Amino acid sequence: MIQSVNSIPAFDIKQQYASIEAEVSAAVLEVLASGRYIGGPLVEGFEQQFAAYHQVTNCIACNSGTDALYLALRALEIGMGDEVITTPFTFVATAEVISAVGAKPIFVDIDTTTFNLDLQQIAAAITPQTKAIIPVHLFGQPVDMTALMAIAQSHNLAVIEDCAQSTGASWGGQKVGSIGHIGCFSFYPTKNLGGCGDGGAIITNDPELAVRLRVLKEHGQKNRYYYEEIGVNSRLDALQAAILQIKLRYLDTWNKQRQAIAAYYQQFLSRVSGIIAPQELAGGVGVWNQYTIRISSEGRNGTSATYRDSIRSQLQERGVSSMVYYPHPLHLQPVYQSLGYQPGQLPVAELACQEVLSLPMFPELTHEQQDQVIYTLDKVLSAEC
Ligand SMILES: *Cc1c(COP(=O)(O)O)cnc(C)c1O
């Protein structure tokens, strides 16, 4: 029997910092000594590197993934009276920004195996008011962008990719974020490319959108101290840019480690009964920001969520942390009550919220730790049978 060793966290960003501490702390001290904290060559350098990584012509750094999405909608002049199609199974920011610009989020159900937008259901949700689609590459798994772009093009809709959880993922050999009209990224510390604070970026190949995005993120300033529209203040600071320049060089290595960890989980967990392991679409390369299984509750009394939550707490008691992303679908959140969605309307997303469990996933996770996760999960589930 495997002895309960140290408990295993769901993620561990301290360990990653330790692995690059010398480089990062030297860069941070250099920024501090430079007196150049806002803008400047480090931010511009990061923008160039991030654009080159994605093989796009423009990258605009900003304050967060949320701001990136907000600015994208503003740059596309989406606002009052417009509709934007997105998924109800995502972090709230994806839909929040649609509301923030005065437009209406239209939630379309997700696909059972990928947790991403069900592309078959998009066409039926399109109205004359629809202006854009925001696909989310959830948990690092790319959406089928070939099919999505075909739908968008045939209805003349803009596509804003929410790549907050998928930096480095690709579809058909192209990096996500570079396929739609605009790609939005978050550098929140637990994302695949995480800073030591907030940060975000927007990429696009459209030069006019790039100009508008820069104006909007700087208070709507067109020329110095001359304003034609209301903007925001959304900057990536030099400290974050210095750290992200270093971490970008490790991103592919870390993503490969995540892929190896996912493959190892997959090998064992696809045989454990009572759970459904995640599946990848052919054509995409995912980067596993999360490794999310379903705790199948078929044939049990009570709600699925109660059963999943009890599995989760039993894992926790045995030293295995896990997370629930996300416990509630956005269309049923109190904040969206006025949109009039009813329980049962988007059943796949609703069931996912009750069944999902994200297991420990971070590049430094060891085989031994994974063995402990798998063993413990198997033990807890068989005791429940
Ligand atoms: C993290 C996240 C965001 C928001 O990014 P922030 O940098 O935290 O503002 C948006 N969408 C998704 C899917 C996310 O996971």
Side-chain angles (χ1 to χ4, degrees):
M1 191 184 126
I2 299 175
Q3 290 299 311
S4 173
V5 262
N6 296 324
S7 60
I8 302 168
F11 54 85
D12 184 348
I13 35 189
K14 281 212 296 209
Q15 220 177 313
Q16 181 165 93
Y17 172 66
S19 73
I20 51 170
E21 181 175 359
E23 262 181 293
V24 171
S25 53
V28 165
L29 290 176
E30 224 172 282
V31 176
L32 293 180
S34 76
R36 197 90 210 248
Y37 306 142
I38 297 288
L42 285 165
V43 177
E44 285 160 24
F46 174 72
E47 288 181 335
Q48 282 160 15
Q49 291 163 17
F50 201 68
Y53 179 82
H54 287 93
Q55 297 187 292
V56 296
T57 46
N58 303 280
C59 170
I60 297 99
C62 64
N63 177 265
S64 67
T66 306
D67 274 10
L69 291 161
Y70 171 82
L71 289 162
L73 289 165
R74 286 286 314 273
L76 289 162
E77 302 192 346
I78 290 167
M80 208 70 89
D82 295 333
E83 293 178 357
V84 178
I85 291 172
T86 194
T87 163
F89 191 61
T90 175
F91 181 60
V92 68
T94 315
E96 176 186 45
V97 292
I98 300 171
S99 310
V101 299
K104 185 176 169 189
I106 303 294
F107 296 110
V108 166
D109 210 352
I110 59 168
D111 176 80
T112 318
T113 52
T114 63
F115 299 119
N116 284 330
L117 269 176
D118 182 351
L119 303 184
Q120 308 295 328
Q121 298 193 39
I122 288 182
I126 296 173
T127 74
Q129 283 72 49
T130 310
K131 290 284 151 35
I133 307 173
I134 307 185
V136 180
H137 307 291
L138 198 74
F139 304 146
Q141 153 112 279
V143 169
D144 176 346
M145 288 303 291
T146 315
L148 187 112
M149 292 311 288
I151 297 165
Q153 269 148 21
S154 69
H155 294 89
N156 200 22
L157 303 176
V159 173
I160 301 169
E161 294 178 69
D162 182 340
C163 307
Q165 300 184 10
S166 59
T167 311
S170 59
W171 177 263
Q174 257 183 293
K175 288 266 168 2
V176 299
S178 71
I179 307 167
H181 300 90
I182 301 184
C184 297
F185 294 83
S186 165
F187 305 129
Y188 184 81
T190 58
K191 307 289 163 119
N192 293 52
L193 178 62
C196 300
D198 274 314
I202 310 157
I203 60 173
T204 182
N205 277 316
D206 183 327
E208 280 170 37
L209 282 176
V211 169
R212 268 195 64 69
L213 286 162
R214 281 205 190 279
V215 169
L216 287 164
K217 68 164 257 190
E218 284 181 40
H219 305 284
Q221 169 176 280
K222 192 133 196 203
N223 301 308
R224 197 142 179 83
Y225 299 120
Y226 180 76
Y227 313 94
E228 283 181 352
E229 61 186 325
I230 297 297
V232 293
N233 169 16
S234 187
R235 306 172 179 127
L236 182 75
D237 61 63
L239 274 173
Q240 297 308 329
I243 294 165
L244 289 167
Q245 282 202 22
I246 295 167
K247 294 183 94 176
L248 182 58
R249 299 201 281 273
Y250 294 93
L251 177 64
D252 287 343
T253 306
W254 289 331
N255 279 342
K256 284 201 184 82
Q257 288 171 316
R258 287 177 184 271
Q259 286 157 356
I261 290 163
Y264 193 75
Y265 270 144
Q266 216 70 339
Q267 189 185 332
F268 296 98
L269 292 181
S270 50
R271 283 191 245 125
V272 174
S273 67
I275 65 167
I276 302 164
Q279 279 179 39
E280 284 197 285
L281 293 181
V285 179
V287 291
W288 302 98
N289 184 251
Q290 301 296 334
Y291 183 86
T292 304
I293 60 170
R294 280 169 189 274
I295 306 289
S296 170
S297 58
E298 241 172 278
R300 283 180 189 280
N301 298 324
T303 73
S304 315
T306 314
Y307 178 59
R308 183 264 322 274
D309 294 344
S310 97
I311 300 294
R312 184 181 180 213
S313 52
Q314 291 178 65
L315 288 172
Q316 189 65 61
E317 280 160 24
R318 291 163 175 78
V320 174
S321 296
S322 58
M323 306 291 277
V324 174
Y325 303 117
Y326 296 91
H328 308 288
L330 294 184
H331 66 288
L332 299 179
Q333 291 279 356
V335 70
Y336 283 126
Q337 206 170 5
S338 63
L339 296 179
Y341 287 92
Q342 299 302 318
Q345 205 170 334
L346 304 176
V348 182
E350 290 167 36
L351 185 63
C353 289
Q354 302 201 9
E355 293 188 341
V356 286
L357 193 66
S358 297
L359 300 180
M361 169 53 87
F362 49 93
E364 299 78 14
L365 191 69
T366 64
H367 270 348
E368 290 69 32
Q369 288 176 309
Q370 282 197 273
D371 286 340
Q372 197 189 332
V373 173
I374 295 159
Y375 171 85
T376 310
L377 186 61
D378 192 25
K379 209 164 175 239
V380 166
L381 286 168
S382 36
E384 288 280 334
C385 284

